[in-house]
Amino acid sequence: QVQLVESGGGSVQAGGSLRLSCAASGSIYSGTCMGWFRQAPGNEREGVGVIRIGHGDSPYYADSVKGRFTVSSDNAKDTVYLQMSSLEPEDTAIYYCAASGQYCRTPMDITAYYYWGQGTQVTVSS
């Protein structure tokens, strides 16, 4: 079992920055994927950025956030971060931290994720 606790959401004007944190407790293994999904009203939940813990491969990003968002991890703390810059009103959504099973083969596939945080609201005003 894995428990995920997010923090860091809020409101910001377009062009601003926010940093989200996700602290995990429980069984996080090398090969587990952790990262961020978001869901805007009326839309399906979508991948934003994820990282495969302990494997050294580069993070995976949705095309809409490449160059603006950065996913990183502190493996010693079992914590994942999402640094969001150049925020746009279209980034407004509830952001969820997620963790996969023991080994993640398809990092951006939402069906690979079994554990979810409670979500944190990010609102970007124009």
Side-chain angles (χ1 to χ4, degrees):
Q1 285 290 333
V2 175
Q3 291 78 45
L4 303 171
V5 178
E6 302 132 339
S7 60
S11 297
V12 66
Q13 289 192 328
S17 299
L18 282 173
R19 188 194 197 206
L20 306 183
S21 299
C22 173
S25 59
S27 302
I28 299 295
Y29 301 98
S30 176
T32 295
C33 283
M34 287 186 65
W36 299 91
F37 291 74
R38 67 186 181 186
Q39 188 167 19
N43 290 357
E44 294 185 351
R45 194 171 297 188
E46 63 176 3
V48 175
V50 300
I51 192 167
R52 187 182 278 128
I53 301 298
H55 266 233
D57 46 345
S58 298
Y60 301 81
Y61 296 101
D63 288 343
S64 60
V65 306
K66 284 180 181 177
R68 301 188 299 121
F69 291 11
T70 301
V71 177
S72 61
S73 66
D74 182 337
N75 295 341
K77 297 181 181 178
D78 282 342
T79 300
V80 173
Y81 305 96
L82 180 67
Q83 177 67 48
M84 303 183 290
S85 302
S86 301
L87 282 160
E88 303 168 353
E90 292 75 20
D91 296 317
T92 295
I94 299 174
Y95 283 69
Y96 297 91
C97 179
S100 73
Q102 184 168 348
Y103 184 76
C104 169
R105 298 184 183 278
T106 53
M108 290 297 281
D109 181 355
I110 194 171
T111 64
Y113 293 82
Y114 301 140
Y115 307 103
W116 293 87
Q118 77 281 4
T120 185
Q121 178 70 46
V122 171
T123 302
V124 185
S125 57
S126 57

